[in-house]
Amino acid sequence: MPKDSFFKRIEIPIFAHYYKMKIMIQIHDKQFVPFISAQEIEFAIAKIAALVEADFADETPIFIGVLNGSFMVVSDFMKHYKSPSEVSFIKMASYEGTTSTNDVKQLIGLDQDLTGRTVVIIEDIVDTGNTLMALKELFKKQNVKHFKIATLFFKPEAYKQEVKIDYVGIRIPNKFIVGFGLDYDGLGRNLPEIYQLKD
Ligand code: IMP
Ligand code: MG
């Protein structure tokens, strides 16, 4: 195959993904612009799944998605993770509008004995790390074998904790985003790609 026809074949689908994104979207009172394509998201999730699988393929880890935001990440993550595994969810909330509060509430708890299990928390995004610290506290009492944290997005400039994040998909600047499970006051979760708050 001539070199340039190969490039045409791979470039067209990549650009097509950006064309599918709207130039600007309005949610409630705010405007958002395209930031990360569906394809980049898929690539990042596949990368995390491969790294977790390399570490735990000979165990049966239990993946714990943090609701509401992580439902899309968990779904795609599970499709890429090919070895034996289980999944469960926990519901936490700390955000009001576009800012994190220090008060992290547990809204739906764990219903399962995790003694001796390898637990991998799956987050959509780690921002201040308050949710993560609340989760760590919660799992301290559970006598798990391994406690690991995986997140699709990470805002290093906003992160206030010492705890290391084991698996990070994409590092992003400290700016509010929506899409792929992430919301602005309830809306925007259904967007297949990520939009960023317009300046
Ligand atoms: P943290 O406790 O500050 O680390 O924030 C964790 C939670 O806040 C995430 O799981 C999200 O649900 C929400 N969050 C943080 N940053 C954003 C954002 O940029 N857009 C939408 N939700 C966010
Ligand atoms: Mg979340």
Side-chain angles (χ1 to χ4, degrees), residues 95 100 123-125 127-131 155 176-177 182-183:
Y95 246 67
S100 184
E123 269 282 25
D124 45 358
I125 189 165
D127 183 6
T128 61
N130 290 337
T131 307
K155 292 180 183 167
F176 193 75
I177 58 172
L182 291 156
D183 70 307

Side-chain angles (χ1 to χ4, degrees), residues 124-177:
D124 45 358
I125 189 165
V126 175
D127 183 6
T128 61
N130 290 337
T131 307
L132 217 61
M133 294 318 284
L135 284 167
K136 233 186 136 50
E137 203 48 45
L138 199 75
F139 280 86
K140 243 195 218 163
K141 303 163 202 147
Q142 296 271 337
N143 281 320
V144 298
K145 182 175 173 192
H146 296 285
F147 179 79
K148 300 283 177 186
I149 300 147
T151 185
L152 174 56
F153 298 113
F154 177 45
K155 292 180 183 167
E157 296 150 26
Y159 193 60
K160 292 189 289 196
Q161 318 297 338
E162 297 298 317
V163 175
K164 178 179 150 275
I165 301 167
D166 304 284
Y167 309 96
V168 174
I170 304 173
R171 285 173 175 77
I172 59 167
N174 190 11
K175 255 184 142 182
F176 193 75
I177 58 172

